[in-house]
Amino acid sequence: MKSIGDRLENHDIKKLFKHPRLKMLDEFHRRINAERKAEGMKELPMAAIGVKTSHLSLEDMAYLLKRCSQSTNFSKCFFGSLKVKK
């Protein structure tokens, strides 16, 4: 049995970023924080965006990313699309 130290040394971090969900989360994080920084607002952590999108499937996240990319205001479209209409 390998020790924890051996497993940590041989850990390839690039394998984690191959998952499509993480790629989309990274894109959401980068674009939302770019707009927030331009407006003088505090940046959101990656965890906040992950929690907001935790209930979405990969197909839904891909649709949301495409829809937000086509919008003039990325973050407004992102947060507006996640609101639940009563």
Side-chain angles (χ1 to χ4, degrees):
M1 190 163 139
K2 290 184 176 181
S3 69
I4 293 175
D6 292 337
R7 291 181 186 269
L8 289 175
E9 288 176 7
N10 297 331
H11 185 64
D12 187 16
I13 195 74
K14 290 185 179 180
K15 287 182 183 177
L16 289 175
F17 292 114
K18 288 184 180 179
H19 196 277
R21 183 174 194 88
L22 291 176
K23 288 180 181 179
M24 286 186 267
L25 275 177
D26 187 47
E27 183 68 19
F28 284 127
H29 181 255
R30 188 180 59 78
R31 303 237 351 230
I32 288 171
N33 282 334
E35 286 186 7
R36 289 177 67 89
K37 190 183 249 186
E39 294 175 7
M41 297 168 63
K42 189 172 125 180
E43 291 186 9
L44 285 177
M46 177 76 83
I49 297 168
V51 168
K52 290 276 190 190
T53 60
S54 62
H55 65 284
L56 298 176
S57 66
L58 284 176
E59 293 84 19
D60 291 339
M61 282 185 68
Y63 171 75
L64 180 63
L65 182 62
K66 183 177 180 179
R67 182 175 172 192
C68 291
S69 296
Q70 293 173 349
S71 175
T72 57
N73 191 337
F74 188 90
S75 58
K76 187 174 183 180
C77 180
F78 175 79
F79 290 110
S81 297
L82 293 177
K83 285 187 180 179
V84 178
K85 297 178 183 175
K86 294 182 181 180

